[in-house]
Amino acid sequence: MISLPQPNDLTSLVLRTDFTDDTAWEAVKAALRTWEGEDSATFVSDPKYKGVSLHELVDADNAASQDDRLTYLFLADATTMTDVERPLLALDLADEPGRTFRVPPRWYADVSTNLTIANMDFAEFANAIDRSDTYQGFDGD
């Protein structure tokens, strides 16, 4: 069974699961780093996570000690690497394990920051998705 890496303090884990395009991965990282010049992500690019399923990630989190459990993470998967907007896949690991939605880099900082400091919960963002299961901000943003 795989184990999940821990994000750095006050950042979100961005886990690469698709290794078909290194240039796309660099573009994802660059897009996420543009927000206020600060890293709000802990980027992990380890081939042992290549093609890992959502179920495996949920199981890995459940197997972790209570102190090492995550509440959510972001995946840079095949869709992230091939879609021109580079939307990450947000994965709930706590309240509704396995629930997902897409987050374009434009909205990553809002989602990541609010989840990191527990100002909002995963469901608040997941309940605000559009027909493509993508978070595009709240009405009025």
Side-chain angles (χ1 to χ4, degrees), residues 98-134:
R99 187 175 186 187
T100 63
F101 64 91
R102 291 272 166 200
V103 181
R106 173 179 183 219
W107 295 106
Y108 170 81
D110 292 340
V111 175
S112 173
T113 300
N114 281 293
L115 292 176
T116 298
I117 64 172
N119 185 49
M120 297 175 74
D121 63 25
F122 193 93
E124 289 178 270
F125 291 104
N127 291 340
I129 59 174
D130 64 16
R131 284 181 279 203
S132 69
D133 293 334
T134 302

Side-chain angles (χ1 to χ4, degrees), residues 35-52:
W35 302 106
E36 299 176 15
E38 298 288 326
D39 270 347
S40 60
T42 298
F43 298 105
V44 175
S45 179
D46 185 331
K48 75 179 179 183
Y49 299 108
K50 180 181 179 181
V52 67

Side-chain angles (χ1 to χ4, degrees), residues 50-92:
K50 180 181 179 181
V52 67
S53 72
L54 299 180
H55 181 75
E56 289 173 298
L57 294 168
V58 170
D59 285 350
D61 191 61
N62 286 335
S65 71
Q66 194 65 34
D67 289 342
D68 289 337
R69 287 191 181 163
L70 303 176
T71 56
Y72 68 93
L73 60 82
F74 295 94
L75 300 175
D77 62 1
T79 299
T80 307
M81 300 304 184
T82 58
D83 188 305
V84 67
E85 290 188 20
R86 305 277 185 236
L88 297 167
L89 185 65
L91 172 63
D92 188 352

